Amino acid sequence: MFPLQRGRRLRVNESIRSLVRETTLSPSDFMFPMFIAEGENVKVEIPSMVGIYRRSIDLTVEEVKELFALGIRAVNIYVKVDESLKDNTGKEAWNPNGLMQRAIKAIKSACPEMIVMPDVALDPYSIFGHDGIIENGDVANDSTNDALVKMAVSHAQAGADFVAPSDMMDGRVLRLRQGLDVAGFSNVGIMSYSAKYASAFYGPFRDALDSAPREADVEVPKDKKTYQMDYANRIEAIKEALMDVEEGADMVMVKPGIAYLDIVREVKNAVNVPVTVFHVSGEYAMIKAASERGWLDHDKIMMEQLMCIKRAGASLISTYFAKEAAIILNR
């Protein structure tokens, strides 16, 4: 009770504040999402994501080495697939010589200790831009799961440490766990996008991979709301995370990040596995745009948001700010 208790005593200077700080950040808290393109010496900036690039495998490998030197220990990788390779089956997704498979091999060869978590979903490979196979005007759950198992096993064969299913099909974690085990990859983990909301914050990401739903001559869903979660829901996120853990997920993810910190804490309280949070492309783009106009202090707001995500319960933060934040922390 005041005046015996004065909260400001613990805020007098930075030394005291750091002594009693409840949450801390380090580069090993971050995972860096990377976009990979065909070719050599290719580096193309994504217009809606200032400072983020699609890189060819050779330049991706060089970037991975830099990330590892900064203390970042995980990358989440996505590929920009040529239009000629897209169809409604997603078969290019498990091509042993596909771009993703070659990228995994190259990264693990150059930097064996970097944890590689390739994305598992069919939208980069789909002529319709959906995360699964279209049947009868909708995304077919079970046949999509069959395809995702082939995809995940091919990633494991290429050297992936974890697979990261972002598709939101029912039962896919169980099917992936069974498929990986049967193929001899019981030590390959699953980081499941358990609470992935149907969010407008993903726009810049879909620009990066050209993976937004498209109009077609056949009936297809106009958006991803039949499989991604309704952002009005909270209890559903807990249910999805618990189901994924029961099915064999080693980590669960909440996506997006800052706008969903209540969900992060709820999921953290409910599960007994690490919780990953995806600080998504739209959240990144907003900070970049506002700071370019002088409305926000870029580095301060970046670090504040990352700290808040960690404080909410994140064990790992997938963020496009990973490299910038690691440089600041290493200073």
Side-chain angles (χ1 to χ4, degrees), residues 23-323:
T23 307
T24 58
L25 281 172
S26 74
S28 62
D29 291 324
F30 305 138
M31 175 164 61
F32 190 48
M34 304 188 77
F35 301 114
I36 302 171
E38 285 285 9
E40 291 186 10
N41 200 34
V42 174
K43 183 179 178 181
V44 179
E45 188 172 42
I46 299 158
S48 54
M49 299 178 70
V50 175
I52 300 298
Y53 300 85
R54 285 192 293 264
R55 292 179 170 87
S56 51
I57 291 176
D58 54 331
L59 298 187
T60 297
V61 166
E62 294 307 310
E63 181 75 353
V64 166
K65 291 177 181 177
E66 289 186 31
L67 296 170
F68 194 82
L70 288 169
I72 295 167
R73 295 293 178 258
V75 291
N76 189 201
I77 58 176
Y78 305 83
V79 292
K80 175 72 168 64
V81 179
D82 188 271
E83 287 295 319
S84 65
L85 299 174
K86 296 183 180 183
D87 62 12
N88 188 35
T89 70
K91 62 180 182 296
E92 178 63 19
W94 53 90
N95 177 358
N97 296 311
L99 180 57
M100 178 68 87
Q101 289 75 7
R102 286 181 279 122
I104 296 168
K105 290 176 184 177
I107 294 170
K108 293 302 291 184
S109 176
C111 192
E113 293 180 71
M114 180 64 86
I115 302 302
V116 178
M117 301 192 189
D119 179 59
V120 175
L122 296 185
D123 50 331
Y125 304 89
S126 169
I127 54 173
F128 302 119
H130 276 284
D131 290 43
I133 296 168
I134 299 296
E135 294 177 4
N136 301 317
D138 198 6
V139 175
N141 194 90
D142 295 358
S143 56
T144 295
N145 282 343
D146 293 339
L148 297 176
V149 171
K150 296 175 187 176
M151 186 179 185
V153 170
S154 78
H155 292 173
Q157 290 169 338
D161 300 282
F162 283 76
V163 294
S166 63
D167 56 285
M168 288 298 287
M169 297 298 112
D170 293 336
R172 91 275 204 209
V173 172
L174 178 60
R175 292 295 314 280
L176 291 177
R177 185 69 273 156
Q178 292 171 335
L180 288 166
D181 289 354
V182 167
F185 296 106
S186 58
N187 286 333
V188 172
I190 298 174
M191 181 190 69
S192 175
Y193 289 57
S194 297
K196 181 179 180 181
Y197 285 86
S199 171
F201 282 108
Y202 306 151
F205 174 93
R206 291 174 181 168
D207 290 343
L209 293 184
D210 190 24
S211 61
R214 307 177 181 186
E215 293 185 3
D217 294 334
V218 298
E219 183 183 355
V220 297
K222 68 181 189 305
D223 53 39
K224 302 190 177 187
K225 293 181 179 180
T226 66
Y227 45 102
Q228 294 178 358
M229 285 178 47
D230 183 343
Y231 57 71
N233 293 354
R234 176 183 61 85
I235 295 172
E236 184 181 14
I238 302 169
K239 180 186 77 171
E240 291 280 356
L242 289 171
M243 288 171 60
D244 283 358
V245 173
E246 290 175 358
E247 291 179 14
D250 301 284
M251 289 189 268
V252 296
M253 177 184 277
V254 175
K255 180 181 180 182
I258 283 295
Y260 293 77
L261 294 187
D262 59 322
I263 306 301
V264 175
R265 174 44 58 183
E266 293 271 15
V267 170
K268 179 70 172 179
N269 289 343
V271 302
N272 58 1
V273 299
V275 176
T276 303
V277 177
F278 205 139
H279 193 214
V280 298
S281 59
E283 295 168 321
Y284 173 89
M286 288 193 300
I287 292 178
K288 289 294 183 183
S291 63
E292 283 181 353
R293 288 174 176 254
W295 295 344
L296 293 174
D297 183 307
H298 177 279
D299 290 354
K300 287 182 179 178
I301 198 70
M302 170 182 72
M303 298 307 292
E304 181 178 344
Q305 287 203 359
L306 293 171
M307 185 70 79
C308 291
I309 293 171
K310 179 80 179 293
R311 188 195 65 216
S315 302
L316 180 65
I317 305 169
S318 183
T319 176
Y320 301 97
F321 287 117
K323 187 176 182 179

